[in-house]
Amino acid sequence: EVVGIDAGGTLIKIAYRVNDEWELQKIPLADMGKVRTWIEERVDNPVIHITGGKAETLRKSLPWPTEPISEFEATCKGVSYLRKRFNENDRHEDTYIITNVGTGTSIHFAGPEEYERVGGSGMGGGTLIGLSYLLTGIDAYEDILRLGKEGDGRSLNVKVKDIYTDEEPPISGDLTASNFGNIMNMRNNKYEDKDYIAAVVRMIGETITTMSVQMADRLNTDSIVYIGSTFDKHDHLKEIIGGYTELRGKAPCFLPYGEFSGAVGAYMHE
Ligand code: ATP
Ligand code: MG
């Protein structure tokens, strides 16, 4: 029986099908040993379809036959399947952008017959945890989620209208001119941990949206599908990215189970 695995830089995602129901599981890379037990408890004679940057590392610890699968291909195939299976309101356009916000961020173009990786950035879920830790000393994922939602870091940034003080700006004055650029406010005000984390969330959200929207413009598509565990339980980040994507005239979609795209795509590989 086939088991699909996407071993990423932070989390290992497992996809397995019983009858017509998916069993989906995430295991931190730090607990890699638990993958073997998870599979042993469920599957007889597994064949592992494996993808992701840690595929080779994980493969060595598993006693079963494995087939390596290209990460980008698995991800895009998985997205296409999950859209049809779980996203009923989907408009099902022929072409769309996939923005995968994992430890880092990868951007793909999906056409009717083809997929292509078209860009990426080091600004991702790892940045959220790492920069939050550096600024506050907090590294528990759940705490970072909660504090980011409670805080308000907008005055740590410079807006366009803060620069164009005495004249009409040539673009919307409410746009961010510089994330974390407001040194004056930093010197004069007292900020709490939650405000720093909120500003990190906003910076990541705005940057990822800008990259995705520019890519969508360049490739003539209106639809952006956001996936990756960084969105897991992170409604605040989804609001920032969803709202900002719409503001820029594109249609955002946060795919249900999107973080399992790579594992599902690997599972389905013939
Ligand atoms: P990459 O694709 O870049 O190799 P990955 O596949 O491991 O990395 P994802 O699993 O898509 O990446 O996302 C990882 C991010 O998800 C983390 O950086 C963090 O922001 C967030 N995250 C969500 N849940 C957790 C968790 N339980 N523990 C740690 N990070 C989590
Ligand atoms: Mg990944």
Side-chain angles (χ1 to χ4, degrees):
E1 282 180 279
V2 173
V3 176
I5 299 182
D6 172 11
T10 306
L11 298 171
I12 297 166
K13 279 74 64 182
I14 312 179
Y16 169 59
R17 206 149 54 169
V18 188
N19 301 323
D20 201 30
E21 294 294 316
W22 287 96
E23 269 204 55
L24 303 170
Q25 178 72 29
K26 269 184 226 142
I27 294 175
L29 186 68
D31 300 332
M32 202 162 80
K34 291 185 180 162
V35 173
R36 183 172 171 169
T37 334
W38 192 92
I39 296 172
E40 273 169 351
E41 282 168 1
R42 289 167 180 80
V43 194
D44 296 324
N45 304 318
V47 174
I48 313 294
H49 287 188
I50 191 163
T51 191
K54 292 288 180 190
E56 187 57 23
T57 313
L58 175 60
R59 192 187 67 76
K60 286 184 192 145
S61 76
L62 301 176
W64 306 295
T66 51
E67 184 173 344
I69 287 149
S70 132
E71 175 175 359
F72 302 146
E73 192 188 319
T75 303
C76 295
K77 278 194 177 149
V79 167
S80 169
Y81 169 86
L82 290 170
R83 286 190 96 177
K84 290 182 195 119
R85 169 91 196 240
F86 293 110
N87 219 31
E88 285 156 16
N89 305 331
D90 207 307
R91 283 156 50 205
H92 297 296
E93 303 81 353
D94 282 347
T95 66
Y96 49 96
I97 296 294
I98 300 169
T99 299
N100 182 9
V101 189
T103 313
T105 296
S106 248
I107 304 183
H108 308 263
F109 173 78
E113 309 284 341
E114 74 283 11
Y115 308 108
E116 191 188 349
R117 185 178 187 277
V118 288
S121 165
M123 186 77 70
T127 317
L128 168 63
I129 301 179
L131 205 47
S132 296
Y133 174 67
L134 202 56
L135 289 167
T136 69
I138 298 165
D139 62 358
Y141 183 66
E142 306 286 330
D143 292 339
I144 290 171
L145 287 193
R146 181 174 45 80
L147 291 168
K149 192 181 163 66
E150 287 170 12
D152 184 349
R154 276 175 288 191
S155 63
L156 292 163
N157 302 337
V158 177
K159 286 191 171 188
V160 169
K161 67 183 173 200
D162 299 328
I163 297 179
Y164 280 80
T165 39
D166 291 312
E167 54 183 295
E168 197 57 38
I171 52 174
S172 165
D174 273 322
L175 288 172
T176 306
S178 177
N179 295 91
F180 284 97
N182 208 321
I183 300 175
M184 188 107 85
N185 276 350
M186 290 174 191
R187 288 201 179 109
N188 295 334
N189 302 328
K190 185 118 185 57
Y191 290 96
E192 296 179 51
D193 285 348
K194 60 184 184 183
D195 302 321
Y196 293 136
I197 296 178
V200 171
V201 173
R202 181 163 289 279
M203 175 178 71
I204 293 168
E206 290 179 355
T207 307
I208 285 169
T209 310
T210 299
M211 286 192 305
S212 306
V213 166
Q214 286 174 351
M215 200 57 84
D217 273 335
R218 219 182 80 195
L219 298 169
N220 292 312
T221 179
D222 285 337
S223 180
I224 303 173
V225 179
Y226 292 101
I227 62 167
S229 310
T230 307
F231 296 110
D232 190 22
K233 287 183 260 165
H234 207 159
D235 291 337
H236 182 52
L237 181 64
K238 285 190 207 167
E239 275 163 31
I240 292 174
I241 290 186
Y244 200 43
T245 303
E246 280 170 6
L247 190 74
R248 302 284 301 271
K250 303 291 175 194
C253 159
F254 296 94
L255 187 61
Y257 311 110
E259 67 270 37
F260 290 99
S261 299
V264 166
Y267 178 99
M268 296 194 315
H269 189 85
E270 300 293 330

